[in-house]
Amino acid sequence: MTLVLEQWQDVPQNCGRPIPGVGHQNPRVMDLSQRATTADQQRIELAMDALVSPGSRLLHIGVGNSSLALRWCDRDLAIIGLTVNEREMAHANDLQLNGYRTFLANKYSTDLDAISGPFDFIVDNNPASFGCCVEHFEKMLTNYARLLHPQGLMVTDRRGMYWCYENGPMRLRFEDLQTIAETYPFCVQRLTDDVFALQRTS
């Protein structure tokens, strides 16, 4: 599949990086283990509160301070957290929350091939923010489609979609989610004015 987004004219199709993505070595943006939960992450969690039920399976991309797992740790969920930062993983594991496991994995690479679904929800506040090229972004989308239950949701936020590492070019708008849904087995939902979801359709 080839994804064409109008504002990504300066994004390479294939970056050739052995480790895809950008910003891996910058702890200021990659280690959020001891920082307050961002406003957009809070909005995502609030929007999902009524949707998450006992037995749900969640995949959280970029665990940060593990606020999502802490919020729902008493709901009998299975939560898999992924991060590229060892400090975030250590912090998450130190919490010893029931049903919560974290792994080091890069969402733009083949690392997600080893993750077993299906999941009812994938939470990714910054789907393209650390992206390096269209090909690796498409790899992530293919994995998300594979990992979601039919009718499962990939949930994100307007602010996280539009923010880019070092003001890079890979911003996303709501309209871009609609274009993605034309290429992949998704439809688009507005959960709130700021929180959006790609829902797996088949």
Side-chain angles (χ1 to χ4, degrees), residues 163-180:
W163 181 86
C164 286
Y165 178 71
E166 292 190 340
N167 204 32
M170 294 188 71
R171 290 180 172 83
L172 290 173
R173 307 163 302 180
F174 180 79
E175 294 78 11
D176 299 319
L177 295 184
Q178 294 174 313
T179 300
I180 288 168

PDB file of all heavy atoms in Angstrom, residues 163-180:
ATOM      1  N   TRP A 163       2.033  17.579  16.761  1.00  0.00           N
ATOM      2  CA  TRP A 163       3.388  17.862  17.251  1.00  0.00           C
ATOM      3  C   TRP A 163       4.384  16.949  16.540  1.00  0.00           C
ATOM      4  O   TRP A 163       4.119  15.764  16.331  1.00  0.00           O
ATOM      5  CB  TRP A 163       3.462  17.633  18.760  1.00  0.00           C
ATOM      6  CG  TRP A 163       4.822  17.923  19.323  1.00  0.00           C
ATOM      7  CD1 TRP A 163       5.307  19.114  19.736  1.00  0.00           C
ATOM      8  CD2 TRP A 163       5.888  16.978  19.515  1.00  0.00           C
ATOM      9  NE1 TRP A 163       6.598  18.986  20.175  1.00  0.00           N
ATOM     10  CE2 TRP A 163       6.990  17.685  20.049  1.00  0.00           C
ATOM     11  CE3 TRP A 163       6.027  15.601  19.284  1.00  0.00           C
ATOM     12  CZ2 TRP A 163       8.202  17.072  20.367  1.00  0.00           C
ATOM     13  CZ3 TRP A 163       7.231  14.982  19.578  1.00  0.00           C
ATOM     14  CH2 TRP A 163       8.297  15.719  20.121  1.00  0.00           C
ATOM     15  N   CYS A 164       5.549  17.501  16.177  1.00  0.00           N
ATOM     16  CA  CYS A 164       6.600  16.712  15.535  1.00  0.00           C
ATOM     17  C   CYS A 164       7.935  16.968  16.210  1.00  0.00           C
ATOM     18  O   CYS A 164       8.238  18.103  16.599  1.00  0.00           O
ATOM     19  CB  CYS A 164       6.731  17.059  14.051  1.00  0.00           C
ATOM     20  SG  CYS A 164       5.417  16.404  13.047  1.00  0.00           S
ATOM     21  N   TYR A 165       8.739  15.932  16.311  1.00  0.00           N
ATOM     22  CA  TYR A 165      10.070  16.053  16.878  1.00  0.00           C
ATOM     23  C   TYR A 165      10.888  17.029  16.057  1.00  0.00           C
ATOM     24  O   TYR A 165      10.970  16.913  14.832  1.00  0.00           O
ATOM     25  CB  TYR A 165      10.748  14.687  16.916  1.00  0.00           C
ATOM     26  CG  TYR A 165      12.161  14.720  17.450  1.00  0.00           C
ATOM     27  CD1 TYR A 165      12.398  14.945  18.796  1.00  0.00           C
ATOM     28  CD2 TYR A 165      13.249  14.557  16.604  1.00  0.00           C
ATOM     29  CE1 TYR A 165      13.685  14.985  19.301  1.00  0.00           C
ATOM     30  CE2 TYR A 165      14.542  14.596  17.094  1.00  0.00           C
ATOM     31  CZ  TYR A 165      14.751  14.819  18.450  1.00  0.00           C
ATOM     32  OH  TYR A 165      16.036  14.866  18.942  1.00  0.00           O
ATOM     33  N   GLU A 166      11.489  18.015  16.749  1.00  0.00           N
ATOM     34  CA  GLU A 166      12.315  19.046  16.122  1.00  0.00           C
ATOM     35  C   GLU A 166      11.606  19.702  14.939  1.00  0.00           C
ATOM     36  O   GLU A 166      12.206  19.999  13.909  1.00  0.00           O
ATOM     37  CB  GLU A 166      13.677  18.480  15.708  1.00  0.00           C
ATOM     38  CG  GLU A 166      14.545  18.108  16.914  1.00  0.00           C
ATOM     39  CD  GLU A 166      15.974  17.768  16.540  1.00  0.00           C
ATOM     40  OE1 GLU A 166      16.216  17.451  15.354  1.00  0.00           O
ATOM     41  OE2 GLU A 166      16.830  17.824  17.438  1.00  0.00           O
ATOM     42  N   ASN A 167      10.293  19.899  15.105  1.00  0.00           N
ATOM     43  CA  ASN A 167       9.492  20.589  14.097  1.00  0.00           C
ATOM     44  C   ASN A 167       9.571  19.912  12.727  1.00  0.00           C
ATOM     45  O   ASN A 167       9.590  20.571  11.681  1.00  0.00           O
ATOM     46  CB  ASN A 167       9.928  22.056  13.972  1.00  0.00           C
ATOM     47  CG  ASN A 167       8.835  22.945  13.425  1.00  0.00           C
ATOM     48  OD1 ASN A 167       7.658  22.687  13.665  1.00  0.00           O
ATOM     49  ND2 ASN A 167       9.217  23.976  12.694  1.00  0.00           N
ATOM     50  N   GLY A 168       9.629  18.593  12.748  1.00  0.00           N
ATOM     51  CA  GLY A 168       9.713  17.828  11.505  1.00  0.00           C
ATOM     52  C   GLY A 168       8.443  17.908  10.682  1.00  0.00           C
ATOM     53  O   GLY A 168       7.453  18.535  11.072  1.00  0.00           O
ATOM     54  N   PRO A 169       8.424  17.248   9.515  1.00  0.00           N
ATOM     55  CA  PRO A 169       7.324  17.422   8.558  1.00  0.00           C
ATOM     56  C   PRO A 169       6.142  16.474   8.742  1.00  0.00           C
ATOM     57  O   PRO A 169       5.130  16.640   8.073  1.00  0.00           O
ATOM     58  CB  PRO A 169       8.006  17.143   7.215  1.00  0.00           C
ATOM     59  CG  PRO A 169       9.054  16.116   7.546  1.00  0.00           C
ATOM     60  CD  PRO A 169       9.550  16.480   8.936  1.00  0.00           C
ATOM     61  N   MET A 170       6.253  15.479   9.635  1.00  0.00           N
ATOM     62  CA  MET A 170       5.242  14.418   9.634  1.00  0.00           C
ATOM     63  C   MET A 170       4.085  14.719  10.594  1.00  0.00           C
ATOM     64  O   MET A 170       3.783  13.960  11.511  1.00  0.00           O
ATOM     65  CB  MET A 170       5.895  13.070   9.936  1.00  0.00           C
ATOM     66  CG  MET A 170       6.848  12.645   8.844  1.00  0.00           C
ATOM     67  SD  MET A 170       7.491  10.965   8.993  1.00  0.00           S
ATOM     68  CE  MET A 170       6.060   9.966   8.603  1.00  0.00           C
ATOM     69  N   ARG A 171       3.423  15.839  10.341  1.00  0.00           N
ATOM     70  CA  ARG A 171       2.233  16.183  11.112  1.00  0.00           C
ATOM     71  C   ARG A 171       1.009  15.471  10.536  1.00  0.00           C
ATOM     72  O   ARG A 171       0.957  15.167   9.351  1.00  0.00           O
ATOM     73  CB  ARG A 171       2.003  17.693  11.087  1.00  0.00           C
ATOM     74  CG  ARG A 171       3.024  18.470  11.880  1.00  0.00           C
ATOM     75  CD  ARG A 171       2.732  19.968  11.824  1.00  0.00           C
ATOM     76  NE  ARG A 171       3.603  20.681  12.751  1.00  0.00           N
ATOM     77  CZ  ARG A 171       4.842  21.042  12.483  1.00  0.00           C
ATOM     78  NH1 ARG A 171       5.350  20.755  11.294  1.00  0.00           N
ATOM     79  NH2 ARG A 171       5.573  21.672  13.381  1.00  0.00           N
ATOM     80  N   LEU A 172       0.033  15.253  11.398  1.00  0.00           N
ATOM     81  CA  LEU A 172      -1.222  14.655  10.970  1.00  0.00           C
ATOM     82  C   LEU A 172      -2.386  15.547  11.365  1.00  0.00           C
ATOM     83  O   LEU A 172      -2.377  16.170  12.431  1.00  0.00           O
ATOM     84  CB  LEU A 172      -1.409  13.273  11.608  1.00  0.00           C
ATOM     85  CG  LEU A 172      -0.492  12.144  11.140  1.00  0.00           C
ATOM     86  CD1 LEU A 172      -0.719  10.905  11.999  1.00  0.00           C
ATOM     87  CD2 LEU A 172      -0.732  11.821   9.670  1.00  0.00           C
ATOM     88  N   ARG A 173      -3.399  15.577  10.521  1.00  0.00           N
ATOM     89  CA  ARG A 173      -4.640  16.272  10.806  1.00  0.00           C
ATOM     90  C   ARG A 173      -5.781  15.253  10.780  1.00  0.00           C
ATOM     91  O   ARG A 173      -5.596  14.113  10.331  1.00  0.00           O
ATOM     92  CB  ARG A 173      -4.907  17.349   9.748  1.00  0.00           C
ATOM     93  CG  ARG A 173      -3.755  18.326   9.533  1.00  0.00           C
ATOM     94  CD  ARG A 173      -3.929  19.079   8.225  1.00  0.00           C
ATOM     95  NE  ARG A 173      -3.995  18.150   7.101  1.00  0.00           N
ATOM     96  CZ  ARG A 173      -4.147  18.510   5.836  1.00  0.00           C
ATOM     97  NH1 ARG A 173      -4.237  19.795   5.530  1.00  0.00           N
ATOM     98  NH2 ARG A 173      -4.219  17.612   4.866  1.00  0.00           N
ATOM     99  N   PHE A 174      -6.942  15.651  11.240  1.00  0.00           N
ATOM    100  CA  PHE A 174      -8.096  14.756  11.198  1.00  0.00           C
ATOM    101  C   PHE A 174      -8.357  14.289   9.770  1.00  0.00           C
ATOM    102  O   PHE A 174      -8.671  13.112   9.532  1.00  0.00           O
ATOM    103  CB  PHE A 174      -9.330  15.450  11.768  1.00  0.00           C
ATOM    104  CG  PHE A 174     -10.562  14.580  11.757  1.00  0.00           C
ATOM    105  CD1 PHE A 174     -10.742  13.610  12.727  1.00  0.00           C
ATOM    106  CD2 PHE A 174     -11.527  14.738  10.770  1.00  0.00           C
ATOM    107  CE1 PHE A 174     -11.872  12.795  12.716  1.00  0.00           C
ATOM    108  CE2 PHE A 174     -12.655  13.927  10.759  1.00  0.00           C
ATOM    109  CZ  PHE A 174     -12.833  12.957  11.734  1.00  0.00           C
ATOM    110  N   GLU A 175      -8.211  15.198   8.809  1.00  0.00           N
ATOM    111  CA  GLU A 175      -8.436  14.837   7.406  1.00  0.00           C
ATOM    112  C   GLU A 175      -7.467  13.747   6.950  1.00  0.00           C
ATOM    113  O   GLU A 175      -7.806  12.935   6.075  1.00  0.00           O
ATOM    114  CB  GLU A 175      -8.297  16.070   6.513  1.00  0.00           C
ATOM    115  CG  GLU A 175      -9.362  17.133   6.723  1.00  0.00           C
ATOM    116  CD  GLU A 175      -9.134  17.987   7.967  1.00  0.00           C
ATOM    117  OE1 GLU A 175      -8.027  17.904   8.573  1.00  0.00           O
ATOM    118  OE2 GLU A 175     -10.050  18.735   8.336  1.00  0.00           O
ATOM    119  N   ASP A 176      -6.262  13.728   7.518  1.00  0.00           N
ATOM    120  CA  ASP A 176      -5.292  12.691   7.154  1.00  0.00           C
ATOM    121  C   ASP A 176      -5.728  11.324   7.668  1.00  0.00           C
ATOM    122  O   ASP A 176      -5.465  10.298   7.027  1.00  0.00           O
ATOM    123  CB  ASP A 176      -3.911  13.056   7.690  1.00  0.00           C
ATOM    124  CG  ASP A 176      -3.401  14.358   7.114  1.00  0.00           C
ATOM    125  OD1 ASP A 176      -3.597  14.581   5.903  1.00  0.00           O
ATOM    126  OD2 ASP A 176      -2.837  15.162   7.874  1.00  0.00           O
ATOM    127  N   LEU A 177      -6.375  11.305   8.824  1.00  0.00           N
ATOM    128  CA  LEU A 177      -6.923  10.034   9.308  1.00  0.00           C
ATOM    129  C   LEU A 177      -7.968   9.505   8.330  1.00  0.00           C
ATOM    130  O   LEU A 177      -8.070   8.290   8.098  1.00  0.00           O
ATOM    131  CB  LEU A 177      -7.542  10.210  10.693  1.00  0.00           C
ATOM    132  CG  LEU A 177      -6.597  10.580  11.838  1.00  0.00           C
ATOM    133  CD1 LEU A 177      -7.370  10.625  13.158  1.00  0.00           C
ATOM    134  CD2 LEU A 177      -5.433   9.607  11.955  1.00  0.00           C
ATOM    135  N   GLN A 178      -8.732  10.411   7.746  1.00  0.00           N
ATOM    136  CA  GLN A 178      -9.718   9.982   6.759  1.00  0.00           C
ATOM    137  C   GLN A 178      -9.041   9.398   5.521  1.00  0.00           C
ATOM    138  O   GLN A 178      -9.514   8.411   4.954  1.00  0.00           O
ATOM    139  CB  GLN A 178     -10.614  11.171   6.384  1.00  0.00           C
ATOM    140  CG  GLN A 178     -11.471  11.654   7.546  1.00  0.00           C
ATOM    141  CD  GLN A 178     -12.249  12.909   7.236  1.00  0.00           C
ATOM    142  OE1 GLN A 178     -11.705  13.874   6.696  1.00  0.00           O
ATOM    143  NE2 GLN A 178     -13.529  12.920   7.576  1.00  0.00           N
ATOM    144  N   THR A 179      -7.920   9.986   5.107  1.00  0.00           N
ATOM    145  CA  THR A 179      -7.168   9.436   3.970  1.00  0.00           C
ATOM    146  C   THR A 179      -6.587   8.074   4.324  1.00  0.00           C
ATOM    147  O   THR A 179      -6.615   7.145   3.504  1.00  0.00           O
ATOM    148  CB  THR A 179      -6.033  10.404   3.577  1.00  0.00           C
ATOM    149  OG1 THR A 179      -6.591  11.668   3.214  1.00  0.00           O
ATOM    150  CG2 THR A 179      -5.229   9.853   2.409  1.00  0.00           C
ATOM    151  N   ILE A 180      -6.064   7.942   5.530  1.00  0.00           N
ATOM    152  CA  ILE A 180      -5.550   6.647   5.979  1.00  0.00           C
ATOM    153  C   ILE A 180      -6.648   5.593   5.928  1.00  0.00           C
ATOM    154  O   ILE A 180      -6.431   4.449   5.499  1.00  0.00           O
ATOM    155  CB  ILE A 180      -4.969   6.778   7.400  1.00  0.00           C
ATOM    156  CG1 ILE A 180      -3.647   7.572   7.359  1.00  0.00           C
ATOM    157  CG2 ILE A 180      -4.741   5.400   8.039  1.00  0.00           C
ATOM    158  CD1 ILE A 180      -3.146   7.990   8.729  1.00  0.00           C
TER     159      ILE A 180
END
